[in-house]
C-alpha cells in the first residue's frame, strides 16, 4: 500500500482533475478564514464558525471510491453526507453510514430547520411597536422589499430560470430561513449556493449598511428626534397581541397555503411569547433556535464541496445577492423619507434601514447610527416596528413567489 | 421568460404584496380598536360594580 492510498484525503487530491484539487485546497483555506472571521466577530460567529469547520472538513476529508488504476481519474466520496441521494433504499443505506445524513434528510431538505429558526425568531420578536405604528412600519417594510422585486428581473436577464431567479431574489428579504425555504421549493439544485450567499451577505450587513446610511441620510436628519404623539404613550395589551398573531396566521395561511409552515412557525413562536409560557419560551429560544442555527451552519459548510462552487452560476449569485441586499437597504431608506414627508418631517429617515428584516440587526444599526450623533435620541421602538414588519412583509412576498412562480415554470 | 415578462411578474407581485401588507395594517388597527373598546367597556363595568358595592 502506498502512502497516498493510506492518507486518502491527500491521495484524492492527486486522483482528480488538478483544477478540482486546487478548488478543494482553496475551499479548505476559505473554511479556515471563515472560522477566523467569525472568531473576530467580522462575520456572524453563530453561523460562520460551524460553517467554516464544515467547509474545511468536507473538502479535506474526501475518500476514493476505489483505488486508482494507472493514474486514471477517480470518483470521490465522503462519510458525512450524500445530498443527491433520493431513492428510499439508497437513503436508508446512507443514513446508516453518513453521520449528518439523518439531520439533512429529516430536517434540512424538507425545510423543517428553516421553520424552527423562524419559530425562534417569533419568540424573540416584540410585536408591540407593529401594533402601535402599523401603517408606517408596513410602508417602510414594503419599500425595503424593492430589493426582492428588482432582483427577480435582473436574475432572469442573467439567464436564471424563473424558480432560480425567484430564489435568488428572496435574498433581498434578508431573512435566512425564508431564503432556505424558497430555494428548497423553487430551485433545489441551487439551494446550497443561494443559501450560502444569503448568509454570507447577511453576516456583513453590520459593515455595509451603516456606510449606506451615512451616504444617503445627511447628519441633521440622522440626529432628528421624533416628537412624541398620542399613540406613543398607548400600551398594547397582550390580548390584542395574541389575537393579532392568530388572526394574521389564519389570514396568511388562507392566502398562501404553500408558505403556511413559515406563517405557522413565526406566529406560533410569537404567541408563545405573548401567552407568557416561560418553559416553552426557553425551549424555543435557548434550545431549538440555537440547535437549528448550529446545524444550519454546519450543514451549509458540509454542503460546500468543490462541485457546488464549480457551477458558473455561483459568481452570478454573488452579484445578485449584493444587488438584492443593497437595493433593499436603499429602498428602506427611501421608505423612511416617504414617512418623513407623510409625518410632516416628524420622523427620522434612518429608521428606513430597519425595514430590511434581519431581526434585530438592522434595527440596532439604525439606533447605533442615530446614537453616534446624539445620545439623547431614541428611535429603537419605531425601528423595531419596521423590523418586525420586515419579517411579515418578507413572509408575504415569499408566499407570493412560491405560489405564483411554479405556474410560470 | 423574457426580461419584460419578469418585470411585469415582479411588479404584479409587488402590488399584491403591498395591498396585503396594507390590509394587514388595517387588520391591526381594527384589532387594537376593538380590544381597546372592549377593555374600556369591561373596565367601566367593573368600576360600576365597585361603585354599587360601595354604596
Amino acid at each position: 500500500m502506498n502512502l497516498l492510498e493510506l492518507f486518502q484525503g491527500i491521495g484524492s487530491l492527486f486522483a482528480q482533475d488538478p483544477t478540482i484539487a486546487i478548488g478543494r485546497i482553496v475551499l479548505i483555506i476559505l473554511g479556515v478564514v471563515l472560522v477566523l472571521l467569525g472568531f473576530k466577530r467580522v462575520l456572524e460567529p453563530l453561523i460562520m464558525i460551524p460553517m467554516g469547520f464544515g467547509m474545511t472538513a468536507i473538502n479535506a476529508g474526501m475518500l476514493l471510491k476505489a483505488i486508482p488504476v494507472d493514474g486514471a481519474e477517480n470518483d470521490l466520496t465522503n462519510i458525512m453526507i450524500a445530498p443527491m441521494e433520493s431513492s428510499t433504499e439508497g437513503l436508508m443505506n446512507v443514513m446508516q453510514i453518513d453521520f449528518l445524513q439523518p439531520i439533512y434528510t429529516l430536517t434540512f431538505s424538507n425545510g423543517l430547520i428553516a421553520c424552527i429558526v423562524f419559530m425562534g425568531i417569533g419568540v424573540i420578536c416584540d410585536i408591540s411597536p407593529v401594533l402601535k405604528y402599523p401603517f408606517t412600519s408596513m410602508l417602510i417594510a414594503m419599500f425595503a422589499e424593492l430589493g426582492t422585486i428588482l432582483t427577480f428581473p435582473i436574475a432572469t436577464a442573467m439567464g436564471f430560470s424563473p424558480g432560480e431567479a425567484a430564489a435568488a431574489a428572496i435574498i433581498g428579504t434578508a431573512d435566512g430561513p425564508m431564503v432556505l425555504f424558497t430555494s428548497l421549493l423553487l430551485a433545489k439544485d441551487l439551494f446550497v449556493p443561494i443559501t450560502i450567499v444569503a448568509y454570507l451577505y447577511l453576516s456583513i450587513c453590520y459593515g455595509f449598511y451603516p456606510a449606506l446610511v451615512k451616504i444617503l441620510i445627511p447628519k441633521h436628519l440622522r440626529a432628528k428626534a421624533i416628537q412624541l404623539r398620542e399613540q406613543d404613550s398607548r400600551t398594547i395589551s397582550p390580548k390584542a397581541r395574541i389575537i393579532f398573531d392568530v388572526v394574521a396566521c389564519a389570514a396568511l395561511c388562507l392566502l398562501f397555503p404553500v408558505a403556511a409552515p413559515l406563517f405557522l412557525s413565526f406566529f406560533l413562536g410569537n404567541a408563545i411569547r405573548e401567552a407568557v409560557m416561560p418553559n416553552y419560551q426557553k425551549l424555543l429560544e435557548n434550545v431549538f433556535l440555537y440547535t437549528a442555527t448550529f446545524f444550519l451552519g454546519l450543514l451549509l459548510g458540509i454542503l460546500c464541496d468543490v462541485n457546488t462552487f464549480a457551477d458558473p452560476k455561483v459568481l452570478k449569485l454573488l452579484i445578485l445577492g449584493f444587488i438584492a441586499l443593497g437595493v433593499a437597504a436603499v429602498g428602506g431608506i427611501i421608505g423612511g423619507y416617504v414617512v418623513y414627508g407623510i409625518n410632516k418631517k416628524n420622523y427620522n429617515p434612518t429608521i428606513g434601514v430597519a425595514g430590511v428584516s434581519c431581526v434585530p440587526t438592522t434595527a440596532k444599526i439604525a439606533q447605533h447610527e442615530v446614537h453616534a450623533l446624539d445620545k439623547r435620541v431614541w428611535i429603537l421602538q419605531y425601528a423595531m416596528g419596521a423590523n418586525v414588519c420586515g419579517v411579515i412583509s418578507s413572509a408575504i412576498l415569499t408566499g407570493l413567489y412560491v405560489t405564483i412562480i411554479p405556474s410560470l415554470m | 421568460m423574457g426580461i419584460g415578462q419578469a418585470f411585469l411578474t415582479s411588479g404584479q407581485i409587488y402590488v399584491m404584496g403591498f395591498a396585503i401588507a396594507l390590509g394587514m395594517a388595517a387588520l391591526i388597527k381594527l384589532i387594537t380598536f376593538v380590544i381597546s373598546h372592549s377593555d374600556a367597556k369591561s373596565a367601566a363595568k367593573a368600576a360600576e360594580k365597585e361603585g354599587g358595592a360601595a354604596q
Side-chain angles (χ1 to χ4, degrees):
Chain A
M1 180 181 279
N2 70 33
L3 281 177
L4 294 181
E5 286 168 22
L6 183 63
F7 301 114
Q8 289 199 16
I10 301 167
S12 59
L13 286 171
F14 297 96
Q16 59 189 151
D17 186 339
T19 45
I20 300 282
I22 291 167
R24 272 178 63 195
I25 294 167
V26 169
L27 286 174
I28 291 169
I29 296 167
L30 183 63
V32 176
V33 171
L34 288 183
V35 172
L36 292 177
L37 291 176
F39 173 72
K40 290 197 165 189
R41 304 298 191 263
V42 176
L43 296 179
E44 172 60 59
L46 291 177
I47 289 280
M48 288 305 149
I49 290 181
M51 192 200 267
F53 265 92
M55 195 185 280
T56 301
I58 192 74
N59 287 291
M62 286 287 182
L63 295 162
L64 299 167
K65 268 189 181 166
I67 302 300
V69 181
D70 300 333
E73 277 192 27
N74 206 305
D75 276 348
L76 302 182
T77 185
N78 65 75
I79 53 165
M80 295 189 201
I81 201 165
M84 302 317 287
E85 186 60 68
S86 57
S87 71
T88 311
E89 196 185 339
L91 273 176
M92 289 311 291
N93 289 332
V94 171
M95 278 208 271
Q96 294 174 63
I97 301 165
D98 293 0
F99 85 111
L100 281 170
Q101 191 68 36
I103 293 171
Y104 176 79
T105 305
L106 301 174
T107 71
F108 211 80
S109 57
N110 57 7
L112 173 63
I113 207 160
C115 291
I116 292 174
V117 173
F118 220 46
M119 215 179 274
I121 292 172
V123 172
I124 60 172
C125 277
D126 176 12
I127 58 161
S128 297
V130 178
L131 271 67
K132 269 189 185 177
Y133 321 106
F135 281 103
T136 50
S137 302
M138 279 292 183
L139 199 62
I140 287 176
M142 280 314 292
F143 269 95
E145 297 299 345
L146 281 174
T148 313
I149 295 301
L150 285 180
T151 307
F152 179 71
I154 296 172
T156 309
M158 282 178 155
F160 285 98
S161 70
E164 292 168 346
I170 291 292
I171 297 175
T173 63
D175 217 313
M178 221 82 80
V179 177
L180 181 61
F181 187 81
T182 314
S183 51
L184 280 168
L185 280 183
L186 299 179
K188 201 145 190 176
D189 293 343
L190 277 183
F191 92 88
V192 178
I194 289 174
T195 315
I196 290 167
V197 167
Y199 273 101
L200 267 179
Y201 281 134
L202 287 179
S203 295
I204 54 174
C205 275
Y206 262 126
F208 159 43
Y209 279 6
L212 263 180
V213 168
K214 285 187 186 101
I215 293 167
L216 295 175
I217 305 171
K219 267 187 182 177
H220 71 281
L221 286 182
R222 260 184 282 151
K224 185 164 180 51
I226 301 172
Q227 301 301 318
L228 290 180
R229 290 159 296 172
E230 192 196 333
Q231 69 205 86
D232 295 311
S233 55
R234 207 168 37 134
T235 51
I236 302 291
S237 69
K239 192 163 78 175
R241 296 199 290 260
I242 203 160
I243 288 176
F244 166 70
D245 278 331
V246 71
V247 172
C249 179
L252 290 173
C253 287
L254 275 171
L255 290 172
F256 312 113
V258 185
L262 279 181
F263 300 133
L264 167 68
S265 305
F266 177 76
F267 288 110
L268 174 61
N270 198 254
I272 284 167
R273 174 198 174 93
E274 299 307 342
V276 193
M277 295 190 276
N279 293 336
Y280 277 2
Q281 269 174 270
K282 278 184 205 157
L283 177 75
L284 288 178
E285 192 179 338
N286 298 339
V287 182
F288 278 21
L289 179 58
Y290 286 105
T291 309
T293 306
F294 172 78
F295 279 111
L296 187 62
L298 181 61
L299 278 167
L300 283 177
I302 293 286
L303 291 166
C304 284
D305 72 359
V306 69
N307 296 318
T308 307
F309 289 94
D311 192 334
K313 284 179 177 172
V314 173
L315 185 64
K316 291 180 185 173
L317 284 174
L318 281 167
I319 298 165
L320 285 172
F322 188 78
I323 293 171
L325 285 170
V327 176
V330 174
I333 291 169
I334 293 171
Y337 276 113
V338 170
V339 176
Y340 173 76
I342 291 172
N343 282 4
K344 295 172 185 155
K345 299 188 177 177
N346 184 25
Y347 202 74
N348 189 326
T350 315
I351 296 163
V353 79
V356 181
S357 91
C358 187
V359 182
T361 310
T362 46
K364 284 203 285 194
I365 289 172
Q367 181 61 64
H368 183 264
E369 288 309 303
V370 171
H371 255 189
L373 295 172
D374 192 338
K375 289 262 185 273
R376 295 164 300 169
V377 181
W378 285 94
I379 55 153
L380 195 61
Q381 63 163 336
Y382 305 95
M384 278 310 293
N387 210 195
V388 176
C389 274
V391 178
I392 297 171
S393 65
S394 301
I396 292 171
L397 281 200
T398 301
L400 282 165
Y401 271 111
V402 296
T403 308
I404 292 172
I405 297 301
S407 63
L408 305 172
M409 285 158 71
Chain B
M1 182 190 274
I3 187 166
Q5 206 203 329
F7 258 111
L8 202 67
T9 306
S10 64
Q12 281 172 338
I13 286 175
Y14 194 53
V15 172
M16 279 193 264
F18 223 112
I20 293 166
L22 291 182
M24 293 281 287
L27 184 72
I28 292 168
K29 277 275 178 201
L30 182 70
I31 289 170
T32 48
F33 177 78
V34 171
I35 297 291
S36 65
H37 269 253
S38 79
D39 284 352
K41 256 189 185 177
S42 42
K45 263 188 189 171
E48 220 171 72
K49 262 188 188 175
E50 262 181 33
Q55 271 180 355

